Amino acid sequence: MKIKEQESLAQYTTFRIGGPAKFFCAVKSEDDVMEAVKFSREKKIPILIIGGGSNLLILDSGFNGLVIKNEIEGKRWDEENDGQTVAVTAGAGEDWEKLVEESVERGLYGLEGLSSIPGKVGASPIQNIGAYGMDVSRAIRSVRALDTSKMEFVDLSKDDCKFGYRDSLFKHEKGRYIVTAVTYELYKNGKVNIEYKDLKDHFTKKGNDSPALKDVRQAVIDIRKKKLPDWTTWGTAGSFFKNPVISADKFRELKDRYPELPGFAEPDGRIKVSLGWILDKVCDVRGLIIGNVGTYEKQALIVVAKPGATAKEVIDFSNKLMHCVKDKTGIQIECEVEWAVA
Ligand SMILES: Cc1cc2nc3c(=O)[nH]c(=O)nc-3n(C[C@H](O)[C@H](O)[C@H](O)COP(=O)(O)OP(=O)(O)OC[C@H]3O[C@@H](n4cnc5c(N)ncnc54)[C@H](O)[C@@H]3O)c2cc1C
């Protein structure tokens, strides 16, 4: 395993922003992960794990520690219950979209709604990726990781991972776990979920009320293509903020002022509100560009950056959005994108 110095990090993120890493290495096995962590301990420096860099903002000053790019590959498809379920175990460095594609090609249900999300398998449990009414935690059976507090590999069950909306144990115990593989449980004779409005509308328009698995994947790809910026040309990390979850009382108060505000009931009685709607209709910032940074013209929740943008510009711009939402609605919003600070 080669350790480089002063490696530029912008090339490893979809924002394409950020300074260099003091030290940088790519890991291809669990032995490499162990070696990399030992190196950081000897040098007494912090660690940052990078997958596809699609949910990360690297500061202009770079990362004053060791950046570990996870490139652990490999997939295993184990049939269970007379072939009714399949446990697929994928290395953390496998491409997420390729895993979803292959699962649908094999006729397996469970990941199709998460098509076209950039990034690697190892990051899927970190923020419990989700879209179109589905969270990956529903499909995750276990997560294998190096527990750096004990310097041993552990297999965490779904319950151990404490999944929530864009949330998990890994976000609360930052830096403790380095994910090396994830096992998902997929189904041969599953049922597609097209309850989410965009998907429902898509199939209603097509007059198809019982779409096949591959139709749902294609529909998600088509809808996302229309709604999201092309991250191969725009610098972006997708949704910059989480949709806020607020009390039912607060939601009623906002509904009085903004009757069209979309809200979705959570199992605990609170309401998840559409921040994209608030930024668009209340703050009026959809498509606003300041300098090199702005919100995407079709979806205000997505912060986009032109080539040459700096992390400082992104931070200043996102602070403006946070203040606007706080002033107009009283809601303190939280970033979904992770900032790498060291
Ligand atoms: C255009 C676009 C659309 C997007 N749409 C969605 C969407 O619909 N839904 C959604 O949920 N997200 C979405 N995202 C965000 C992003 O794709 C996901 O969060 C993805 O899982 C990030 O994967 P990554 O490998 O790029 O992670 P990175 O950005 O490299 O890392 C993200 C975080 O996870 C940590 N991490 C990464 N790998 C590991 C590991 N092996 N072990 C421990 N920690 C690790 C990193 O340290 C960092 O804190 C979108 C992003 C873009 C650019």
Side-chain angles (χ1 to χ4, degrees):
M1 191 187 62
K2 196 172 159 205
I3 299 204
K4 299 182 191 172
E5 290 185 47
Q6 295 304 319
E7 177 81 345
S8 163
L9 293 175
Q11 60 184 314
Y12 297 110
T13 74
T14 55
F15 252 132
R16 291 189 284 279
I17 284 176
K22 185 171 170 80
F23 295 102
F24 177 94
C25 65
V27 293
K28 294 188 185 295
S29 65
E30 292 192 342
D31 286 348
D32 283 354
V33 173
M34 193 61 107
E35 196 184 325
V37 175
K38 284 183 181 156
F39 174 86
S40 76
R41 299 247 158 127
E42 277 159 25
K43 297 269 179 202
K44 296 190 174 56
I45 50 171
I47 283 176
L48 170 69
I49 315 296
I50 284 199
S54 64
N55 205 33
L56 263 183
L57 180 66
I58 307 280
L59 300 187
D60 300 316
S61 52
F63 188 80
N64 194 18
L66 172 66
V67 172
I68 301 176
K69 182 155 177 2
N70 200 317
E71 294 184 353
I72 300 176
E73 292 181 348
K75 281 183 222 139
R76 212 182 56 226
W77 304 79
D78 295 324
E79 290 204 352
E80 297 172 340
N81 302 320
D82 293 330
Q84 290 312 295
T85 53
V86 172
V88 51
T89 300
E94 286 288 343
D95 187 69
W96 173 256
E97 170 63 357
K98 289 214 179 98
L99 180 72
V100 178
E101 182 183 31
E102 190 174 345
S103 71
V104 171
E105 273 168 6
R106 287 171 178 254
L108 298 172
Y109 292 73
L111 302 181
E112 64 282 356
L114 302 175
S115 295
S116 272
I117 297 181
K120 305 292 177 186
V121 160
S124 64
I126 307 295
Q127 74 152 355
N128 183 16
I129 56 168
Y132 301 98
M134 194 208 154
D135 286 339
V136 74
S137 59
R138 268 201 244 163
I140 287 179
R141 179 186 284 179
S142 62
V143 173
R144 184 165 171 82
L146 175 67
D147 180 347
T148 60
S149 72
K150 299 184 184 140
M151 287 304 270
E152 63 185 35
F153 287 94
V154 290
D155 291 290
L156 302 165
S157 69
K158 186 202 286 250
D159 283 350
D160 293 335
C161 294
K162 298 193 174 77
F163 290 117
Y165 165 61
R166 299 295 167 274
D167 200 20
S168 69
L169 162 80
F170 310 106
K171 286 202 148 185
H172 296 276
E173 303 228 19
K174 258 200 182 129
R176 175 168 171 187
Y177 295 100
I178 300 177
V179 175
T180 55
V182 183
T183 300
Y184 309 88
E185 189 171 296
L186 308 179
Y187 294 86
K188 271 267 166 72
N189 296 308
K191 217 173 143 249
V192 290
N193 172 7
I194 54 163
E195 284 311 301
Y196 197 84
K197 186 178 175 307
D198 286 357
L199 276 175
K200 218 187 231 170
D201 292 351
H202 178 94
F203 287 112
T204 309
K205 244 188 233 161
K206 289 201 175 284
N208 180 356
D209 56 5
S210 55
L213 179 62
K214 64 178 183 5
D215 298 334
V216 173
R217 170 168 158 77
Q218 194 54 52
V220 171
I221 293 172
D222 293 346
I223 295 168
R224 289 180 70 98
K225 219 176 236 168
K226 279 190 213 137
K227 286 196 148 184
L228 296 175
D230 177 2
W231 56 278
T232 56
T233 53
W234 276 100
T236 185
S239 301
F240 198 85
F241 301 102
K242 291 186 192 181
N243 284 310
V245 180
I246 60 177
S247 70
D249 285 347
K250 177 77 187 166
F251 183 62
R252 270 191 294 275
E253 177 208 316
L254 289 174
K255 267 292 219 197
D256 285 344
R257 282 156 58 201
Y258 310 109
E260 287 172 24
L261 171 64
F264 312 92
E266 290 285 287
D268 63 4
R270 293 183 304 156
I271 312 288
K272 190 197 288 172
V273 292
S274 164
L275 182 59
W277 191 93
I278 294 175
L279 289 168
D280 181 5
K281 309 288 182 202
V282 179
C283 297
D284 194 21
V285 293
R286 179 163 59 86
L288 171 73
I289 305 274
I290 300 179
N292 290 312
V293 176
T295 55
Y296 184 50
E297 59 185 358
K298 294 184 192 163
Q299 168 56 275
L301 194 51
I302 297 177
V303 170
V304 288
K306 292 181 191 167
T310 62
K312 182 175 182 313
E313 281 180 286
V314 175
I315 292 166
D316 288 349
F317 184 80
S318 66
N319 280 339
K320 280 196 176 68
L321 301 185
M322 285 174 121
H323 286 135
C324 177
V325 174
K326 179 80 180 156
D327 286 351
K328 303 244 177 176
T329 66
I331 300 173
Q332 183 65 55
I333 56 174
E334 283 174 48
C335 275
E336 180 174 310
V337 170
E338 306 258 344
W339 302 16
V341 180

